[in-house]
Amino acid sequence: MERAPFATFTVAVSMILLSFAVESCLSILHQDLMINTKYTPLILNHGLDTTTTTMVMPLYYNDSNKFVNSASKHSRRHLQTRRPPNARMPLHDDLLINGYYTTRLWIGTPPQRFALIVDTGSTVTYVPCASCEQCGKHQDPKFQPELSSTYQPVKCNIDCSCDNDRKQCTYERQYAEMSSSSGVLGQDIVSFGNQSELPPQRAVFGCENVETGDLYSQHADGIMGLGHGDLSIVDQLVDKGVISDSFSLCYGGMDVGGGAMVLGGIVPPSDMVFARSDPDRSPYYNIDLKEIHVAGKALPLWMRSCIINTHIHSIRTSPVMM
């Protein structure tokens, strides 16, 4: 099979132009975006800090004039030699056949397995609930709360939207491709697989009652939300202090598929550099795009500001509202 032409993206990194291929491994952190030109993960520094106006997406701050002593100010956010345990999780599927990458997550006691799309643009992790009558047929059976001895509903409170009986918190998410998911929030033990150093943890997730659009028809069971927000699986683990404030994604390529994801810190490559991601401009991981090349040919750009969104059914740039 002939290898499909791949696209390279050039972004501004401290006045340096850096190209990277979408088929390479990438790493992301939540405040500046670290990009490595070699085949190592893209890392995201996940937390926000009110004392800074940029998001740190790499492993450390490299602007000595602006971020003096940043390690002490952001001790939760920088990667250390002696780091907390991380969760290493294989990725499955690919863009050409499926339009997304998935990982496996186990919920409940005993654990129930789910194939979830890794999504940096979503803040909620959710799976179909056994009671859902408006959910599609997916890869695995629906989640059955009554079979888990550790499941607890998230009770209605002033910080959440509630169901009609005002007994349980609810969630609702709508996406640009006109799909949507809604349901109730529950809490249970979440396990990350046998490659994970991180033991199972309690986490809040969504139990779907309604799916529409692509979420209804897709093969994957649900979404693993990696974006900013209290319900993000990464934010929850970071807030508990069980992982470092970063995560990494490494994709196998369009005609290869698979890959790896790490929740928590990794040993940083020596040649890692930064691209700025401004949380004041957008709540999503965003960068300033300088060039796109496909098969060596530069394409015209109609929009320079883009977000990094791993839940896509086609390759496209998403505009950032200024």
Side-chain angles (χ1 to χ4, degrees), residues 122-163:
S122 185
T123 57
V124 183
T125 295
Y126 51 81
V127 297
C129 223
S131 59
C132 182
E133 296 180 354
Q134 299 184 54
C135 292
K137 294 183 179 180
H138 302 297
Q139 183 168 331
D140 297 291
K142 299 173 183 177
F143 178 69
Q144 301 185 59
E146 67 278 3
L147 296 185
S148 174
S149 62
T150 49
Y151 175 82
Q152 294 178 345
V154 177
K155 295 181 180 180
C156 181
N157 61 75
I158 60 174
D159 296 322
C160 72
S161 300
C162 300
D163 59 13

Side-chain angles (χ1 to χ4, degrees), residues 40-317:
T40 49
L42 172 72
I43 303 168
L44 288 161
N45 185 358
H46 194 79
L48 287 175
D49 190 281
T50 57
T51 61
T52 61
T53 57
T54 57
M55 299 172 66
V56 180
M57 291 186 150
L59 305 169
Y60 53 85
Y61 293 110
N62 69 342
D63 187 336
S64 58
N65 294 326
K66 187 171 183 179
F67 299 113
V68 175
N69 297 324
S70 62
S72 61
K73 293 180 181 178
H74 305 278
S75 58
R76 192 180 76 162
R77 235 170 265 160
H78 70 290
L79 302 185
Q80 301 171 323
T81 302
R82 297 183 63 184
R83 55 169 175 77
N86 58 34
R88 296 178 180 270
M89 307 170 68
L91 295 181
H92 308 270
D93 303 307
D94 61 76
L95 287 178
L96 288 182
I97 297 177
N98 308 97
Y100 51 70
Y101 291 87
T102 62
T103 192
R104 302 296 180 263
L105 200 68
W106 287 259
I107 303 175
T109 307
Q112 303 174 44
R113 191 187 76 165
F114 299 96
L116 302 182
I117 297 172
V118 293
D119 186 5
T120 58
S122 185
T123 57
V124 183
T125 295
Y126 51 81
V127 297
C129 223
S131 59
C132 182
E133 296 180 354
Q134 299 184 54
C135 292
K137 294 183 179 180
H138 302 297
Q139 183 168 331
D140 297 291
K142 299 173 183 177
F143 178 69
Q144 301 185 59
E146 67 278 3
L147 296 185
S148 174
S149 62
T150 49
Y151 175 82
Q152 294 178 345
V154 177
K155 295 181 180 180
C156 181
N157 61 75
I158 60 174
D159 296 322
C160 72
S161 300
C162 300
D163 59 13
N164 293 334
D165 298 328
R166 301 200 62 78
K167 291 183 178 180
Q168 192 168 358
C169 289
T170 62
Y171 79 94
E172 182 176 3
R173 292 294 184 271
Q174 296 181 344
Y175 297 92
E177 72 273 15
M178 305 305 293
S179 62
S180 65
S181 170
S182 60
V184 295
L185 293 178
Q187 187 182 86
D188 210 334
I189 300 296
V190 174
S191 304
F192 307 96
N194 58 16
Q195 296 183 25
S196 172
E197 300 172 354
L198 183 68
Q201 302 289 325
R202 291 200 70 87
V204 175
F205 66 98
C207 204
E208 287 183 302
N209 289 325
V210 177
E211 295 175 337
T212 66
D214 289 340
L215 293 176
Y216 183 93
S217 59
Q218 69 189 16
H219 186 55
D221 300 311
I223 297 290
M224 185 171 182
L226 303 175
H228 295 294
D230 293 339
L231 294 177
S232 165
I233 188 69
V234 179
D235 276 281
Q236 292 186 63
L237 296 176
V238 170
D239 289 343
K240 293 177 67 174
V242 295
I243 65 170
S244 300
D245 196 5
S246 62
F247 66 94
S248 306
L249 295 166
C250 181
Y251 296 114
M254 288 188 179
D255 58 348
V256 178
M261 176 172 67
V262 178
L263 304 182
I266 64 170
V267 178
S270 59
D271 57 351
M272 192 68 76
V273 293
F274 292 79
R276 294 299 171 87
S277 184
D278 186 356
D280 293 330
R281 179 171 63 183
S282 169
Y284 301 101
Y285 307 118
N286 60 88
I287 58 173
D288 289 327
L289 191 63
K290 297 301 179 183
E291 295 178 1
I292 298 179
H293 291 255
V294 177
K297 181 180 180 181
L299 301 181
L301 289 180
W302 67 275
M303 182 62 68
R304 298 286 179 174
S305 297
C306 303
I307 64 173
I308 298 175
N309 188 355
T310 59
H311 178 199
I312 54 176
H313 294 276
S314 61
I315 299 177
R316 63 190 179 207
T317 59

